[in-house]
Amino acid sequence: MTPQIPGYALLDSGDGRKLERFGDMVIDRPSSLAAWRRRNDALWESADASYMPPDRWETGSSRFQTWKAQVAGVSLELELMSNGQLGIFPEHALYLPRIGEALDRFQSLGRKPVRVLNLFAYTGLATAFCAARPDVLVTHVDLAKRAIDWAKRNVQLNTDAPDRVRWIVDDALTFMAREARKGNAYDIIIIDPPSFSRVSKNSSWTLEEKTPDIVNLTLDVLAREAGVVFFTNHSAASTSDVARNIALDRFSDKGVEIDIEPLSLKEERTVRLLPAGSLITLSHTA
């Protein structure tokens, strides 16, 4: 899955950094995976902002901190955050067309509204994408209130009907367990669990140890008729196979289609790919 993403470009990478364009802004950031050499030193001189760990941005004379960009057709507010993040993980834009196809299929079957659950939903790229469609209701779940507030602004940039989104400030696993007890289910589930999560001062987990719980809870709230899950994995490669095997067990190897594919960002002018995790797509066909 390596198409170019409208509004975004990986201009160059190497020597432990990556040079990206988001809308009109060119951003230079560290990348531990970019262990190769840079191809075009002149491009790096065009950076509007460069991140210097642990918490400093260099922006030259422009001195900006926020800007707006349209990525994969979704309007977003982006920000130079102190941890080097911007409010978007561009590899997630790679599978938005798949989500669109799933929405089209449900709507062609007369499903109104299509129920979407976005977990660990961050600043709402997928939420804004889905909420811009008619007859779609999105439940957006994130533990960080600041991320929820940011996502609300992104949704408002993309639709005049923000009431299509239900906002939940909660731990995703706790929320799914509660929804399962209520018997609630969703047609499309988008889930992007972090490699490490601190739920509270005294509670934390890693994705490797929590994958069985996450997968089982996700399947507990997936619609029994033709539900679809988009599960992104940025942890160990084995996590994807663990998730796949748990899902196969749940469905006794029948009535389920599971695909695992890499998420990679292709450089704009070369054939090189920057790894960005993997995508597990699970379709319940029974």
Side-chain angles (χ1 to χ4, degrees), residues 100-177:
E101 291 169 2
L103 290 171
D104 289 341
R105 179 166 57 83
F106 279 115
Q107 291 179 328
S108 70
L109 295 173
R111 186 74 58 86
K112 293 184 179 181
V114 181
R115 299 157 297 174
V116 177
L117 176 60
N118 191 9
L119 298 159
F120 304 101
Y122 195 40
T123 60
L125 171 67
T127 294
F129 175 83
C130 294
R133 302 276 295 260
D135 299 316
V136 175
L137 293 181
V138 185
T139 298
H140 177 111
V141 183
D142 199 281
L143 188 58
K145 186 178 184 301
R146 182 176 188 268
I148 293 273
D149 291 340
W150 193 340
K152 288 179 179 179
R153 296 194 297 273
N154 284 336
V155 167
Q156 290 171 351
L157 291 174
N158 291 275
T159 177
D160 57 2
D163 57 345
R164 292 177 184 151
V165 182
R166 178 171 62 135
W167 303 101
I168 306 292
V169 181
D170 200 354
D171 170 60
L173 278 65
T174 301
F175 175 79
M176 284 192 286

Side-chain angles (χ1 to χ4, degrees), residues 14-282:
D15 301 325
R17 299 186 73 87
K18 55 186 176 181
L19 187 69
E20 304 165 284
R21 185 178 64 242
F22 297 86
D24 296 329
M25 295 297 179
V26 175
I27 308 297
D28 166 16
R29 296 188 287 169
S31 173
S32 61
L33 296 174
W36 42 86
R37 65 177 177 84
R38 299 178 184 182
R39 290 288 182 85
N40 191 333
D41 288 336
L43 279 176
W44 296 78
E45 297 176 3
S46 68
D48 295 291
S50 299
Y51 183 69
M52 303 302 172
D55 58 7
R56 181 169 60 88
W57 285 94
E58 294 182 355
T59 58
S61 60
S62 55
R63 298 189 182 281
F64 70 98
Q65 185 173 355
T66 65
W67 76 103
K68 290 184 173 61
Q70 189 171 86
V71 178
V74 181
S75 296
L76 300 168
E77 175 186 295
L78 302 180
E79 178 182 334
L80 302 178
M81 300 172 68
S82 61
N83 60 4
Q85 293 186 12
L86 306 175
I88 180 177
F89 297 102
E91 63 271 16
H92 294 176
L94 290 169
Y95 59 89
L96 290 183
R98 302 278 188 86
I99 297 173
E101 291 169 2
L103 290 171
D104 289 341
R105 179 166 57 83
F106 279 115
Q107 291 179 328
S108 70
L109 295 173
R111 186 74 58 86
K112 293 184 179 181
V114 181
R115 299 157 297 174
V116 177
L117 176 60
N118 191 9
L119 298 159
F120 304 101
Y122 195 40
T123 60
L125 171 67
T127 294
F129 175 83
C130 294
R133 302 276 295 260
D135 299 316
V136 175
L137 293 181
V138 185
T139 298
H140 177 111
V141 183
D142 199 281
L143 188 58
K145 186 178 184 301
R146 182 176 188 268
I148 293 273
D149 291 340
W150 193 340
K152 288 179 179 179
R153 296 194 297 273
N154 284 336
V155 167
Q156 290 171 351
L157 291 174
N158 291 275
T159 177
D160 57 2
D163 57 345
R164 292 177 184 151
V165 182
R166 178 171 62 135
W167 303 101
I168 306 292
V169 181
D170 200 354
D171 170 60
L173 278 65
T174 301
F175 175 79
M176 284 192 286
R178 188 166 63 246
E179 289 291 270
R181 289 193 297 269
K182 294 178 180 178
N184 293 333
Y186 298 84
D187 304 307
I188 296 173
I189 299 177
I190 304 160
I191 180 167
D192 178 40
S195 299
F196 173 84
S197 178
R198 181 168 298 281
V199 180
S200 65
K201 182 183 294 186
N202 300 314
S203 177
S204 64
W205 50 258
T206 66
L207 182 55
E208 287 89 347
E209 66 190 16
K210 213 66 176 178
T211 292
D213 290 341
I214 291 173
V215 174
N216 280 308
L217 284 168
T218 301
L219 297 177
D220 285 343
V221 295
L222 181 65
R224 295 186 178 275
E225 296 181 2
V228 183
V229 176
F230 298 92
F231 183 121
T232 51
N233 169 33
H234 302 282
S235 186
S238 59
T239 299
S240 295
D241 284 319
V242 170
R244 176 182 182 275
N245 293 341
I246 292 171
L248 287 170
D249 285 348
R250 281 285 296 265
F251 295 107
S252 300
D253 298 345
K254 299 177 181 178
V256 60
E257 295 179 359
I258 303 173
D259 294 315
I260 301 174
E261 57 189 307
L263 287 173
S264 302
L265 298 168
K266 180 183 175 299
E267 287 184 350
E268 186 177 55
R269 302 181 186 183
T270 79
V271 297
R272 300 192 305 183
L273 302 175
L274 180 64
S278 60
L279 172 69
I280 309 165
T281 305
L282 184 152

